[in-house]
Amino acid sequence: MINFYIDDSGTNNLNDSAQPITLFSAVCINNSNLHMTEGSIQALLTSIQSDLNGVLTEMLTVKKYEDSLQETKVRTMLLNKLIGTKFEFHCAELNRGDDAYMLFDKAKRYEYIEDMLKIVNNNNIDIITVYIDKDEYKKQHKQMNAPDIQKKAERDLIDTLIKELNKYLENKNEQGCIIIDKGNAVVKKLLIPTMKTETYQNLSSEVLEKDSYDSLTIQLADTCAYTSNMKLVSDYKTRAKIRNKKEEISNKLFDIFKNNCNLINVSDKLQEVEKAS
C-alpha cells in the first residue's frame, strides 16, 4: 500500500509572474515504512523545539530573575506564544525566517531544511512533482483566451498528477491513496470530484484532506514541494537571464533528493499526447 502525501507550491494563477511555477509534489511512502518516516520527522521537530528553548534560555540569562522558577515560567510562556500548540515544519517560514524561526540565523534554518530532505534519502522515498512553467504553458496555448487557458491549466495539472500517481502504482503493482494538504481550491474544485467520478484500478477514489500540523508526512511534502519550486524557479530565471540570488541554495537543497525526485512538466506530457494522436 502506497500513501501519497501531497502539497502544492506556487500560485496557480497563470498571470502571477512573481511565481512562474505552479506544482504539486507527492511524497510516495509505502505503508510499511510510514512509522519509521514519521519518527524521523518527529525527532527533527523535537530537536528544533529544543533548540528554540535553548535560544530563549540564552536570551533570558541577561535579565535577573527572582529565582530559576520565574525564569522557567517566562521562557515557557514565550515559547508557547512563539510556537503555540500547532508547531509544524513549514519550509517557507524557515526560508524567510518568519515567526519562531526568526530566532535562528539563515545557516541554521537551511540546516533544518537539509535535515528534512535527508529523510527522503534515508528512507528511500520517491517524490513525484508535476509542474507547469507558466510562460511555457501560455505560449503553448496562445490561441486561447485568458479565462479558458486558466481553466485548462488547472485541469491539465490535476489530470497529469492523477495519471502519474496511477502509473507509479501500476509499475509498483501496488494500491494507493491520496492524502493532501487541506485548503487548496483546485483540489476541491477538480481533484476530489474527478476521483469520485473516475475509477482507477490501483488508486483509491477517496481523497483525504488533512491539516498539515496534523500530518508529519504532509510537512515533508511541503518541504519537497517548496524546494522543488525553488529549483524550478531558479532554472527559469537562469534561462530568462534574470538575477538569481537563490541559485546556489536552491541547487544545494535540490541535490539532496534529486535522485529520488521525478520532475514532470505538464507541457511535455501534452506534447507527447499530441504527437501520439
Side-chain angles (χ1 to χ4, degrees), residues 42-273:
Q42 185 58 64
L44 177 57
L45 277 174
T46 300
S47 175
I48 295 172
Q49 288 177 288
S50 177
D51 289 346
L52 283 168
N53 188 65
V55 171
L56 285 174
T57 299
E58 185 176 347
M59 291 171 64
L60 291 172
T61 54
V62 300
K63 181 174 172 55
K64 300 297 182 182
Y65 292 91
E66 292 180 2
D67 51 41
S68 60
L69 178 60
Q70 186 185 49
E71 185 273 333
T72 299
K73 287 181 177 179
V74 172
R75 172 166 42 82
T76 302
M77 179 271 293
L78 290 174
L79 188 61
N80 287 339
K81 285 186 179 296
L82 278 171
I83 67 176
T85 59
K86 298 178 180 179
F87 181 64
E88 62 181 285
F89 195 101
H90 199 278
C91 198
E93 291 177 359
L94 271 163
N95 181 45
R96 295 189 299 260
D98 291 345
D99 298 330
Y101 296 119
M102 70 177 69
L103 295 179
F104 300 126
D105 61 28
K106 185 181 291 186
K108 189 64 175 176
R109 299 198 310 269
Y110 282 133
E111 181 182 319
Y112 293 136
I113 297 174
E114 290 174 22
D115 288 342
M116 186 64 129
L117 294 173
K118 286 174 183 176
I119 293 173
V120 173
N121 273 341
N122 294 341
N123 291 276
N124 297 314
I125 297 169
D126 292 326
I127 310 295
I128 299 171
T129 295
V130 175
Y131 73 93
I132 284 179
D133 178 319
K134 296 177 183 179
D135 281 354
E136 180 183 17
Y137 190 89
K138 286 191 289 187
K139 288 176 183 176
Q140 190 177 11
H141 302 284
K142 58 185 177 182
Q143 74 281 2
M144 299 177 66
N145 61 43
D148 287 345
I149 192 174
Q150 179 66 43
K151 290 178 183 177
K152 179 172 173 54
E154 293 172 0
R155 180 78 267 173
D156 286 341
L157 185 61
I158 291 298
D159 285 349
T160 304
L161 175 64
I162 294 171
K163 288 176 183 176
E164 292 300 323
L165 298 184
N166 202 55
K167 183 169 71 174
Y168 179 87
L169 292 173
E170 289 175 351
N171 291 339
K172 295 282 186 180
N173 193 27
E174 287 274 8
Q175 299 295 307
C177 64
I178 292 172
I179 304 101
I180 197 160
D181 191 20
K182 185 183 290 186
N184 185 286
V186 176
V187 168
K188 289 187 177 297
K189 182 172 66 174
L190 295 176
L191 176 63
I192 294 175
T194 298
M195 296 305 299
K196 286 187 178 298
T197 55
E198 300 291 335
T199 301
Y200 299 92
Q201 184 175 355
N202 300 77
L203 188 59
S204 171
S205 298
E206 290 294 331
V207 175
L208 177 60
E209 291 184 282
K210 294 189 72 172
D211 287 310
S212 56
Y213 66 82
D214 276 335
S215 173
L216 295 168
T217 33
I218 286 180
Q219 293 170 44
L220 181 59
D222 165 85
T223 308
C224 293
Y226 190 87
T227 51
S228 294
N229 200 319
M230 282 181 68
K231 170 61 175 172
L232 290 166
V233 170
S234 175
D235 290 348
Y236 165 85
K237 288 182 176 180
T238 298
R239 293 193 304 271
K241 298 181 179 179
I242 299 171
R243 187 184 177 197
N244 189 3
K245 296 187 293 183
K246 297 278 184 156
E247 182 176 13
E248 182 177 353
I249 188 60
S250 65
N251 286 337
K252 182 180 180 181
L253 293 175
F254 188 74
D255 280 350
I256 295 171
F257 71 112
K258 67 179 181 181
N259 292 331
N260 301 72
C261 186
N262 186 13
L263 292 174
I264 298 157
N265 187 340
V266 170
S267 293
D268 290 345
K269 290 296 177 181
L270 294 177
Q271 288 173 354
E272 289 177 9
V273 171

